Short mmCIF file of all heavy atoms in Angstrom, two decimals:
data_model
loop_
_atom_site.label_atom_id
_atom_site.label_comp_id
_atom_site.label_asym_id
_atom_site.label_seq_id
_atom_site.Cartn_x
_atom_site.Cartn_y
_atom_site.Cartn_z
N SER A 1152 46.47 15.00 8.29
CA SER A 1152 45.81 16.18 8.89
C SER A 1152 46.90 17.27 9.14
O SER A 1152 48.12 16.95 9.15
CB SER A 1152 45.14 15.86 10.15
OG SER A 1152 46.06 15.55 11.19
N VAL A 1153 46.44 18.47 9.32
CA VAL A 1153 47.40 19.53 9.74
C VAL A 1153 48.06 19.25 11.04
O VAL A 1153 49.26 19.47 11.20
CB VAL A 1153 46.58 20.89 9.77
CG1 VAL A 1153 47.56 22.03 10.26
CG2 VAL A 1153 46.05 21.31 8.36
N LYS A 1154 47.31 18.70 11.92
CA LYS A 1154 47.87 18.36 13.25
C LYS A 1154 48.98 17.33 13.10
O LYS A 1154 50.09 17.55 13.71
CB LYS A 1154 46.73 17.75 14.13
CG LYS A 1154 47.24 17.33 15.53
CD LYS A 1154 46.07 16.77 16.32
CE LYS A 1154 46.54 16.27 17.65
NZ LYS A 1154 45.45 15.68 18.52
N ASN A 1155 48.84 16.39 12.19
CA ASN A 1155 49.87 15.44 11.96
C ASN A 1155 51.03 16.00 11.20
O ASN A 1155 52.19 15.60 11.45
CB ASN A 1155 49.33 14.23 11.18
CG ASN A 1155 48.44 13.38 12.02
OD1 ASN A 1155 48.43 13.43 13.25
ND2 ASN A 1155 47.58 12.55 11.36
N LEU A 1156 50.75 16.98 10.42
CA LEU A 1156 51.90 17.68 9.72
C LEU A 1156 52.80 18.42 10.76
O LEU A 1156 54.00 18.33 10.69
CB LEU A 1156 51.33 18.70 8.68
CG LEU A 1156 52.45 19.51 7.98
CD1 LEU A 1156 53.33 18.67 7.10
CD2 LEU A 1156 51.73 20.58 6.99
N TRP A 1157 52.15 19.08 11.71
CA TRP A 1157 52.87 19.76 12.67
C TRP A 1157 53.68 18.77 13.53
O TRP A 1157 54.83 19.00 13.89
CB TRP A 1157 51.95 20.55 13.62
CG TRP A 1157 51.33 21.74 12.96
CD1 TRP A 1157 51.74 22.32 11.75
CD2 TRP A 1157 50.13 22.43 13.33
NE1 TRP A 1157 50.88 23.38 11.47
CE2 TRP A 1157 49.89 23.43 12.38
CE3 TRP A 1157 49.26 22.30 14.46
CZ2 TRP A 1157 48.86 24.34 12.53
CZ3 TRP A 1157 48.21 23.19 14.56
CH2 TRP A 1157 47.97 24.21 13.57
N LYS A 1158 53.11 17.59 13.80
CA LYS A 1158 53.80 16.60 14.53
C LYS A 1158 55.02 16.05 13.72
O LYS A 1158 56.12 15.89 14.27
CB LYS A 1158 52.97 15.40 14.89
CG LYS A 1158 53.57 14.33 15.73
CD LYS A 1158 52.67 13.21 16.06
CE LYS A 1158 53.36 12.18 16.99
NZ LYS A 1158 54.65 11.67 16.51
N ASN A 1159 54.81 15.93 12.42
CA ASN A 1159 55.94 15.47 11.52
C ASN A 1159 57.09 16.50 11.62
O ASN A 1159 58.23 16.08 11.69
CB ASN A 1159 55.40 15.33 10.11
CG ASN A 1159 56.51 14.70 9.22
OD1 ASN A 1159 57.26 15.40 8.55
ND2 ASN A 1159 56.55 13.38 9.15
N ASP A 1160 56.73 17.80 11.58
CA ASP A 1160 57.76 18.82 11.66
C ASP A 1160 58.53 18.74 13.00
O ASP A 1160 59.71 18.92 13.07
CB ASP A 1160 57.11 20.23 11.51
CG ASP A 1160 56.75 20.55 10.07
OD1 ASP A 1160 57.26 19.80 9.14
OD2 ASP A 1160 55.96 21.45 9.86
N SER A 1161 57.73 18.53 14.08
CA SER A 1161 58.29 18.41 15.41
C SER A 1161 59.22 17.21 15.51
O SER A 1161 60.30 17.32 16.09
CB SER A 1161 57.15 18.34 16.40
OG SER A 1161 57.69 18.10 17.74
N ASP A 1162 58.76 16.09 14.94
CA ASP A 1162 59.58 14.89 14.93
C ASP A 1162 60.90 15.05 14.11
O ASP A 1162 61.94 14.61 14.49
CB ASP A 1162 58.81 13.74 14.28
CG ASP A 1162 57.62 13.27 15.24
OD1 ASP A 1162 57.63 13.61 16.34
OD2 ASP A 1162 56.75 12.50 14.67
N ARG A 1163 60.81 15.84 13.03
CA ARG A 1163 62.02 16.08 12.26
C ARG A 1163 63.01 16.93 13.09
O ARG A 1163 64.27 16.61 13.03
CB ARG A 1163 61.60 16.90 10.97
CG ARG A 1163 62.86 17.28 10.09
CD ARG A 1163 62.25 17.67 8.76
NE ARG A 1163 61.15 18.56 8.76
CZ ARG A 1163 61.12 19.80 8.84
NH1 ARG A 1163 62.29 20.44 8.89
NH2 ARG A 1163 60.01 20.59 8.89
N MET A 1164 62.56 17.93 13.77
CA MET A 1164 63.47 18.74 14.57
C MET A 1164 64.10 17.87 15.71
O MET A 1164 65.25 18.08 16.11
CB MET A 1164 62.73 19.94 15.13
CG MET A 1164 62.23 20.96 14.01
SD MET A 1164 63.53 21.35 12.77
CE MET A 1164 64.72 22.19 13.77
N ALA A 1165 63.29 17.04 16.28
CA ALA A 1165 63.79 16.14 17.40
C ALA A 1165 64.88 15.25 16.88
O ALA A 1165 65.81 14.95 17.51
CB ALA A 1165 62.59 15.39 17.98
#
Side-chain angles (χ1 to χ4, degrees):
S1152 69
V1153 174
K1154 180 181 179 181
N1155 288 339
L1156 177 62
W1157 292 342
K1158 183 180 184 306
N1159 187 268
D1160 285 344
S1161 175
D1162 290 344
R1163 176 166 45 89
M1164 297 311 296

